[in-house]
Amino acid sequence: MDKFSEERVKVPFGNKHLDAAIHVPAPADVVHTAVILTHGAGGDMNFRHLVSLAHALASNGFICVRFTCKGLNLVYRVKAYHAVLEYLKSLEKFTIKHMFLGGRSMGSRAAAALARQLSGETEDAVQGVVCLSFPLHPPGKTHTHHQRSEDLRGLPKEMPVLFVSGTEDNMCDRGIFDGVVKEMKAQVDVCWLAGGSHGLTVKGRSEDSVLDEVNSQVITWIMKFRMFSARKSMAADPWNRVNIPFPSTASCVRIRFDLTTDANVKNLLVQNDKVLQLLQSKVLQTEIRILYELLYVLHNNYGKNKTYRVLKQVEQCVNRIKEMKLAVALQDLKHLCPTRVQRALSLEAGNCEVPSQPMLEWLCLKVLGAAQLMSCAMNHCSRGFIFAKQQLKLEEFIVLNVVFVGMLSRLWVFFRGVLANLAPLYQQILVLLREVSEAQPMPFLTAFSLPEDIVNFLGPSDASLLTVTLPLGPQAAEGSQPKDKRQAKAAVKSKRKGRKGKEDLGVAVERVQLFDNDVKPLWDVTEAPVENPSQETNVMQKQMFQKQVTSAATFTDMATHLKKMIPWCKSQNLEKETRCLSFLYLKCHKMESLESAGYNFPRKLRNFKHEACWAISPTRSVPRTCLSTAALWRSAHPKTNFRSLRTRFRAAAVRDCAKRRRSERRRTRTELSEGNGDQAGTRGSRTSSDATPRVSACWNQDEIDDIFSSIGL
């Protein structure tokens, strides 16, 4: 809703008239929220911040009124504010249900005072207060904040308040302001503008960017509390409950059954199957699971992202639809209605069992609640799509926002399909309900009357979604759709015959070969280097510049050459060269001023020439004079391995242990070789003298002596 109109009016105020401007979005008959804004002590309603905020509010579907009141007396300003509020309520062309008051500087004090006054008279007179640069105290007089914050502390706890102030505001000390917020009973939200002054200006930022940030904060906050107040007002409606009480009466009744009733039941079952098919679609369930996974993964890092917050609202709508158990209720309706065979038998018998009046009224409430949730989910998907599109334009989170755009688009299509099918289902339920209530009256809803149409129930904003049929192809756009099914089938067959290949999802498509497979003759064309005369010109220009720089005798000559070369680099889109040369020009300008004072720097001039030659062709190695201090330190101090004393001792111990083990293995191998030779000699003597035990005893003694001698004992 980007279109709006502005109307200048005169608001009667005693014997005078106040100048005001009303910004009305189109269409105005569906807008029920209004915001009133006023200026500070030294301005009027044409102050740029108020005009920008009013345009932003009207573009997002809010009625906005800004007015001028030149009085500096707070009581006088409050009376003028009240007069504008009463004038807006008296306009018959608007149906205002939610009212927000706001202002800048002294205007915010008047808005808070009027909200406090009206909250004491009527509970729901004002839904919120917006305070831009609230003047808590005069500049340098922090002791007067008690008087100015009295109206803030008097606001009731049900009243939401938004403060937008700069961190450098000299009329709102942050420490004192935090203490006032703790004393307030109202629901307070604070938005601090980093580096912002009392006029909400930030050094180093454009005024438009600051205004966009402030406007987005205010609009998001108003939308949040408008939905909260709308839910609060709808809490008493029976269709807005998650668990609608199930009727405890009979679910079926027997009525007279004829051809009209048969047609009504048949149409009801057809529409019921369409809605069930969409709700139980595997594609929709997959998209919802993707939504859950994205929210789970992005919970910690993207909590403040606008698109993420909108996805959370979509998730809430989906969860509420699941909690309503609409699919289960429609399945019960399908089981309660007679089947085709039962209807044929009932036509012969003249009577049949159909769902009772309490059951049908209970189903109507379910369908109304589901339609409202589908409408809310579609609005959230549209907002999320817009936010993701804005971030794509700013080149932020490109891959993530592409996923968001695709998922939100598909969910919007599914929600729109469910909503478009709920409308005829509701009509068929009402048709059968009238017939059943006449035959077997058992009213279930006594304090609530069912609407005649979902379009009237949802409002004109959703009427287009229920009535407009999207074209399915070129035939639908031309209006030449065949009326008969046989003609449609024949058209499809003729269209398939005209194609060269049979195409279908998931099936490989065989294309007709349009050219020869031999593409070797094309290689010479593709691999041939493309001559670019501009490159030769660039090389020549750079070489000329290097010659001029080398022949420069002073920094003044160097600055002249650099000043000529920088615009040329900009014209050739040489960004890196432009940055380097601009930096060197600043250094050269500084040295030029010193040189004019009589100083001479031949060594610096020589180094500067090397830097300038490198800057025009930065692909070469960087000269030492262009390196940063950290790079110079790293080159002068190569990385060394520092080890602790304990690590050194441990390494030495490991080396000693390894040497000891190697010497032991060497000695063991020597001993084994000597022992094997002795065993061979003794083995021969044992075989020759087995009969004499004396010889064996001597051999044993000799073997033991040899073993001890080999050890060194």
Side-chain angles (χ1 to χ4, degrees):
M1 189 180 294
D2 296 333
K3 298 181 180 179
F4 64 90
S5 60
E6 181 178 348
E7 180 184 358
R8 297 297 179 102
V9 296
K10 296 286 187 179
V11 179
F13 178 53
N15 299 328
K16 302 178 182 180
H17 289 82
L18 301 174
D19 295 331
I22 304 178
H23 303 262
V24 183
D29 54 350
V30 299
V31 181
H32 307 295
T33 304
V35 184
I36 303 177
L37 301 174
T38 187
H39 56 87
D44 56 10
M45 69 175 184
N46 295 321
F47 187 69
R48 187 177 180 187
H49 287 193
L50 294 185
V51 175
S52 176
L53 181 57
H55 289 176
L57 289 169
S59 300
N60 285 271
F62 300 102
I63 300 172
C64 186
V65 180
R66 51 188 176 91
F67 69 96
T68 300
C69 181
K70 292 291 186 177
L72 298 180
N73 188 355
L74 182 61
V75 178
Y76 180 80
R77 294 286 292 268
V78 172
K79 291 180 180 179
Y81 211 128
H82 197 184
V84 175
L85 177 62
E86 294 297 330
Y87 173 80
L88 182 59
K89 289 182 177 180
S90 64
L91 298 178
E92 297 180 356
K93 58 182 178 180
F94 302 136
T95 306
I96 298 175
K97 299 180 181 179
H98 313 292
M99 184 72 69
F100 290 85
L101 307 182
R104 202 197 79 83
S105 192
M106 187 178 181
S108 62
R109 290 185 62 194
L114 181 60
R116 179 188 179 186
Q117 178 183 338
L118 295 178
S119 62
E121 300 173 0
T122 309
E123 183 179 355
D124 296 332
V126 179
Q127 274 67 44
V129 181
V130 179
C131 299
L132 304 178
S133 297
F134 188 87
L136 192 59
H137 55 79
K141 299 180 181 180
T142 58
H143 61 278
T144 61
H145 71 277
H146 292 285
Q147 181 182 359
R148 295 195 175 189
S149 61
E150 182 179 357
D151 291 323
L152 297 178
R153 292 193 298 270
L155 292 174
K157 61 180 181 180
E158 298 84 8
M159 180 74 65
V161 184
L162 172 66
F163 291 97
V164 180
S165 298
T167 56
E168 305 298 329
D169 191 350
N170 58 354
M171 300 182 69
C172 183
D173 185 83
R174 192 162 182 176
I176 299 175
F177 179 79
D178 293 339
V180 173
V181 170
K182 292 180 181 179
E183 295 176 1
M184 292 176 61
K185 297 177 291 185
Q187 307 174 31
V188 180
D189 290 323
V190 184
C191 174
W192 290 104
L193 188 63
S197 62
H198 185 69
L200 295 181
T201 58
V202 182
K203 292 182 179 180
R205 289 184 58 182
S206 62
E207 189 177 6
D208 293 335
S209 66
V210 176
L211 291 178
D212 291 341
E213 181 180 352
V214 174
N215 296 343
S216 63
Q217 292 287 344
V218 174
I219 291 170
T220 305
W221 181 84
I222 291 178
M223 284 183 175
K224 179 179 71 172
F225 281 98
R226 181 187 64 174
M227 293 179 60
F228 175 77
S229 58
R231 290 172 187 166
K232 185 177 178 181
S233 62
M234 292 188 305
D237 297 330
W239 53 267
N240 196 45
R241 301 174 184 173
V242 175
N243 296 320
I244 302 175
F246 189 80
S248 58
T249 56
S251 299
C252 294
V253 293
R254 185 171 291 275
I255 62 173
R256 188 172 59 86
F257 199 80
D258 53 8
L259 292 176
T260 305
T261 309
D262 181 32
N264 293 337
V265 173
K266 181 180 178 181
N267 295 333
L268 176 62
L269 289 175
V270 170
Q271 296 298 332
N272 188 45
D273 290 339
K274 289 182 180 179
V275 177
L276 277 175
Q277 186 177 3
L278 286 173
L279 291 177
Q280 298 175 352
S281 172
K282 293 183 178 180
V283 180
L284 177 60
Q285 302 302 324
T286 303
E287 295 293 338
I288 293 174
R289 284 198 298 270
I290 293 174
L291 173 65
Y292 289 160
E293 292 293 334
L294 280 175
L295 292 175
Y296 178 77
V297 172
L298 304 176
H299 175 69
N300 293 328
N301 298 330
Y302 294 87
K304 296 183 179 180
N305 188 281
K306 292 181 180 179
T307 312
Y308 175 81
R309 293 181 179 180
V310 175
L311 290 179
K312 291 291 291 183
Q313 294 175 347
V314 175
E315 180 196 22
Q316 292 174 2
C317 293
V318 172
N319 292 338
R320 191 175 176 106
I321 292 172
K322 289 184 177 181
E323 292 173 359
M324 285 183 63
K325 299 180 180 180
L326 178 64
V328 177
L330 296 181
Q331 286 284 1
D332 294 340
L333 175 63
K334 184 177 181 180
H335 294 320
L336 292 176
C337 291
T339 61
R340 182 173 60 85
V341 177
Q342 291 174 346
R343 292 199 303 273
L345 296 175
S346 298
L347 285 174
E348 298 178 359
N351 54 33
C352 182
E353 286 189 353
V354 294
S356 62
Q357 180 181 354
M359 190 67 184
L360 292 175
E361 291 180 351
W362 180 75
L363 285 169
C364 286
L365 294 180
K366 289 273 189 182
V367 173
L368 290 176
Q372 187 69 37
L373 287 173
M374 290 295 172
S375 176
C376 292
M378 290 173 63
N379 292 334
H380 295 325
C381 288
S382 301
R383 287 181 56 226
F385 184 89
I386 293 172
F387 288 147
K389 185 179 177 182
Q390 291 176 354
Q391 291 182 344
L392 281 175
K393 289 182 178 179
L394 297 175
E395 298 183 358
E396 296 178 354
F397 310 109
I398 295 178
V399 177
L400 182 63
N401 283 292
V402 167
V403 175
F404 283 163
V405 167
M407 183 186 65
L408 289 172
S409 303
R410 294 188 293 270
L411 286 176
W412 188 93
V413 171
F414 269 103
F415 294 153
R416 193 257 182 189
V418 174
L419 181 61
N421 284 282
L422 284 175
L425 175 62
Y426 181 76
Q427 291 296 324
Q428 295 298 329
I429 295 176
L430 285 183
V431 171
L432 185 60
L433 177 61
R434 295 189 191 99
E435 190 172 354
V436 172
S437 61
E438 293 177 359
Q440 296 286 344
M442 290 185 295
F444 174 65
L445 300 176
T446 56
F448 179 77
S449 57
L450 295 172
E452 296 181 358
D453 194 356
I454 282 188
V455 176
N456 298 329
F457 172 73
L458 295 177
S461 59
D462 296 323
S464 59
L465 301 175
L466 301 175
T467 56
V468 176
T469 55
L470 301 177
L472 300 178
Q475 292 182 352
E478 299 173 1
S480 59
Q481 291 183 352
K483 297 182 180 180
D484 193 5
K485 292 184 179 180
R486 295 180 181 178
Q487 295 179 1
K489 292 181 180 180
V492 172
K493 289 182 180 179
S494 62
K495 190 174 181 180
R496 288 179 179 175
K497 289 180 181 179
R499 296 177 183 172
K500 294 183 179 180
K502 186 177 179 181
E503 301 178 5
D504 194 5
L505 293 177
V507 180
V509 179
E510 296 180 359
R511 301 293 184 185
V512 179
Q513 189 171 353
L514 300 177
F515 53 86
D516 192 7
N517 288 334
D518 190 10
V519 294
K520 291 183 179 180
L522 301 177
W523 289 357
D524 298 334
V525 179
T526 56
E527 294 180 358
V530 180
E531 296 183 356
N532 191 359
S534 62
Q535 293 182 357
E536 298 180 359
T537 307
N538 293 348
V539 172
M540 293 176 61
Q541 184 70 20
K542 290 181 180 180
Q543 290 177 354
M544 185 184 302
F545 173 73
Q546 290 176 357
K547 290 180 180 179
Q548 293 173 354
V549 166
T550 307
S551 61
T554 60
F555 280 102
T556 304
D557 299 338
M558 186 76 69
T560 304
H561 299 320
L562 289 173
K563 193 173 182 179
K564 293 180 181 179
M565 197 63 185
I566 290 173
W568 180 81
C569 291
K570 288 183 180 179
S571 63
Q572 299 297 324
N573 295 327
L574 303 174
E575 298 181 358
K576 189 172 181 180
E577 288 84 346
T578 304
R579 290 196 303 269
C580 295
L581 291 176
S582 300
F583 177 69
L584 290 177
Y585 179 74
L586 294 176
K587 292 173 63 177
C588 185
H589 185 67
K590 181 179 178 181
M591 299 303 298
E592 183 183 0
S593 61
L594 294 174
E595 196 175 48
S596 61
Y599 296 97
N600 191 14
F601 306 97
R603 184 176 179 182
K604 283 187 177 293
L605 181 61
R606 186 169 58 253
N607 295 336
F608 200 87
K609 291 179 180 180
H610 290 300
E611 294 179 12
C613 293
W614 171 81
I616 197 62
S617 299
T619 55
R620 299 180 300 173
S621 59
V622 184
R624 184 178 180 82
T625 55
C626 294
L627 291 174
S628 61
T629 307
L632 291 173
W633 190 91
R634 284 196 298 269
S635 61
H637 301 81
K639 185 181 292 187
T640 56
N641 295 324
F642 296 100
R643 295 187 300 173
S644 63
L645 189 61
R646 182 177 180 182
T647 308
R648 292 181 181 179
F649 280 125
R650 186 181 301 166
V654 170
R655 287 196 300 270
D656 294 342
C657 184
K659 290 180 180 178
R660 194 181 303 113
R661 288 178 180 175
R662 284 197 296 270
S663 62
E664 289 179 357
R665 282 196 222 99
R666 201 177 297 115
R667 188 174 59 189
T668 304
R669 283 196 294 269
T670 305
E671 294 172 356
L672 289 176
S673 61
E674 294 176 356
N676 289 334
D678 296 339
Q679 288 178 6
T682 54
R683 196 176 293 116
S685 62
R686 183 189 299 175
T687 54
S688 60
S689 58
D690 284 337
T692 58
R694 182 184 296 178
V695 175
S696 62
C698 293
W699 176 80
N700 291 333
Q701 185 66 30
D702 294 337
E703 184 180 8
I704 294 172
D705 294 338
D706 292 337
I707 292 174
F708 281 105
S709 63
S710 64
I711 298 176
L713 298 177

